[in-house]
Amino acid sequence: MTTSRKPLMAGNWKMHHTHLEAIQVVQKLSYRLDDRDYKAVEVAVCPAFTALRSVQTTLDSDRIPIALGAQNCHWESHGAYTGEVSPAMLAKLNVRYVIVGHSERRELFGETDDAVARKVRAVLGAQMSPILCVGETLEERDLGSTDEKVAGQTRAALAGLKADDVARCVIAYEPIWAIGTGKTATPGDANATIGVVRNTIRELAGSVADETRILYGGSVKPGNTAELMAMPEIDGGLVGGASLDPDDFARVIRYGR
Ligand code: 13P
């Protein structure tokens, strides 16, 4: 990657770790990282909603320079939306990143491109950064429509935003067939698809595309991080399973330096 884009390694804990477990994991992770790691790589963890406050206070009281992320939010700031959490509520917890449009939310919970676009705007409006997820199914890949799919999702989420706002977004390219399967896109394929996303951002917002961090996600592990991060377009990882264990995640972060 180019030097102007600081790599981001974000752990998506999905529906794992109680608040007590989350505190332990983030403390153990911090024991394994040092200033050189934080200088070279921005580190974030995205716990479940129930653990956000506990992780926030742990990070604050121990002065751990790990950013806090959430995994989802609603687009309204408040109201009669039983079960939902608003961007304003997350911002008050010092949340810096909110994952938006993860494929599990799109596929399992029916989240549409329209909902994703609203969430992106709401997260930006609350002074946080969305980590917008895009990616193709295996079927789409086999049909040769990967580029069209990721470009379409990127346009649907970002079209109409000011360049300044686009500059605050992070994108995660996660091929759906590589999530939790142990299969990873080859570094070359991931690099090429991320290049397509970057070109789409360039069409929408101009030169901020060169500053936008675009992560790869899908079975990122200590053993494949270095080769992925050696690719010029890949600016970090959105890490699921390997981020649950502090040893594994620390190794991913170190290989990502
Ligand atoms: P895995 O790293 O477990 O494949 O999950 C990837 C992912 O979905 C991160 O958001």
Side-chain angles (χ1 to χ4, degrees):
M1 59 163 288
T2 61
T3 48
S4 66
R5 301 194 299 262
K6 185 173 184 175
L8 171 63
M9 286 293 177
N12 175 8
W13 290 353
K14 307 191 179 182
M15 199 171 70
H16 295 281
H17 292 332
T18 65
H19 71 289
L20 297 174
E21 291 161 344
I23 292 168
Q24 289 203 337
V25 170
V26 83
Q27 278 175 332
K28 285 185 184 161
L29 178 63
S30 74
Y31 300 151
R32 286 156 182 71
L33 299 176
D34 60 30
D35 285 348
R36 275 176 307 161
D37 298 311
Y38 295 124
K39 210 162 174 244
V41 179
E42 184 181 357
V43 181
V45 292
C46 306
F49 287 135
T50 48
L52 281 174
R53 173 67 174 157
S54 310
V55 172
Q56 180 218 353
T57 52
T58 305
L59 296 174
D60 282 357
S61 58
D62 296 355
R63 295 175 191 280
I64 301 169
I66 292 176
L68 191 57
Q71 299 174 18
N72 182 31
C73 68
H74 196 267
W75 54 82
E76 295 290 351
S77 60
H78 58 273
Y81 301 102
T82 301
E84 295 293 321
V85 169
S86 79
M89 293 168 179
L90 299 175
K92 268 277 186 250
L93 291 168
N94 291 344
V95 165
R96 189 182 303 168
Y97 295 104
V98 184
I99 298 171
V100 175
H102 191 282
S103 60
E104 285 151 16
R105 297 224 50 90
R106 294 179 191 258
E107 297 220 309
L108 304 174
F109 301 99
E111 218 164 88
T112 60
D113 277 346
D114 178 57
V116 170
R118 287 169 188 241
K119 290 181 182 196
V120 164
R121 280 155 181 76
V123 168
L124 289 166
Q127 307 310 317
M128 300 177 291
S129 288
I131 299 179
L132 166 70
C133 300
V134 300
E136 83 286 4
T137 62
L138 190 56
E139 199 185 4
E140 288 162 342
R141 184 172 196 85
D142 290 344
L143 286 169
S145 52
T146 297
D147 293 2
E148 197 185 316
K149 174 75 181 289
V150 299
Q153 287 179 319
T154 305
R155 274 189 212 105
L158 303 183
L161 287 179
K162 289 187 295 205
D164 284 357
D165 284 336
V166 174
R168 291 162 51 215
C169 296
V170 175
I171 320 294
Y173 166 56
E174 301 203 309
I176 295 169
W177 49 270
I179 295 176
T181 57
K183 291 182 194 153
T184 336
T186 65
D189 281 352
N191 190 65
T193 306
I194 288 178
V196 170
V197 175
R198 200 177 301 286
N199 283 335
T200 309
I201 297 172
R202 194 170 288 115
E203 282 166 26
L204 293 169
S207 60
V208 295
D210 298 316
E211 294 155 35
T212 305
R213 288 180 298 181
I214 310 182
L215 318 180
Y216 170 78
S219 298
V220 173
K221 302 272 181 294
N224 58 27
T225 305
E227 54 177 3
L228 287 162
M229 290 302 291
M231 293 288 130
E233 297 285 2
I234 301 181
D235 303 322
L238 186 56
V239 186
S243 73
L244 295 174
D245 176 83
D247 288 310
D248 282 347
F249 194 33
R251 284 160 65 210
V252 165
I253 291 160
R254 196 142 290 171
Y255 290 130
R257 290 202 314 217

